[in-house]
Amino acid sequence: MKTPEAEVRLHGRRVGLLRFRKGRAYFTYEDDLDAPAHRTLGQIFEDDPRAVRRPIGGGVPAWFANLLPEGALRKQIVRDLSATPTAARPASRPCTTFTR
């Protein structure tokens, strides 16, 4: 079975890939920092672009978790996705594209 994946795009340009395994998401940043079309996704990726970002305690890596809403809206999203509270999206139902 193929590991579910989701492209991460910034202003329509692919900058990385989220891979979903066992209820967790792992992010690999793929953008070329020297490319003319390069835009900054976040300083953490500029400082160490080749590091694989792993979730802490389950779900998605911290950088992505910080983009999710909190409180009642987050709980509603979790219910809608049938996910656990720490997961942004279950591995069986990955999104196809995450756009900032």
Side-chain angles (χ1 to χ4, degrees):
M1 182 172 149
K2 185 178 179 189
T3 302
E5 300 176 340
E7 286 185 348
V8 176
R9 295 181 166 270
L10 180 62
H11 299 285
R13 185 170 183 261
R14 181 177 165 154
V15 295
L17 189 65
L18 276 168
R19 289 184 178 86
F20 301 90
R21 282 183 235 128
K22 299 180 181 179
R24 294 181 173 196
Y26 301 84
F27 178 65
T28 305
Y29 185 70
E30 302 173 339
D31 198 21
D32 178 1
L33 301 180
D34 296 322
H38 171 71
R39 306 279 292 268
T40 302
L41 179 64
Q43 188 62 46
I44 190 172
F45 305 111
E46 301 289 311
D47 293 342
D48 191 4
R50 298 300 156 229
V52 174
R53 313 290 178 212
R54 293 174 170 74
I56 298 172
V60 295
W63 191 90
F64 291 94
N66 290 333
L67 297 177
L68 299 173
E70 296 181 3
L73 183 55
R74 185 177 190 135
K75 288 177 184 176
Q76 179 63 46
I77 291 170
V78 168
R79 279 193 301 273
D80 290 349
L81 297 174
S82 301
T84 61
T86 58
R89 189 178 269 287
S92 62
R93 294 176 52 198
C95 59
T96 56
T97 303
F98 176 89
T99 305
R100 179 175 176 210

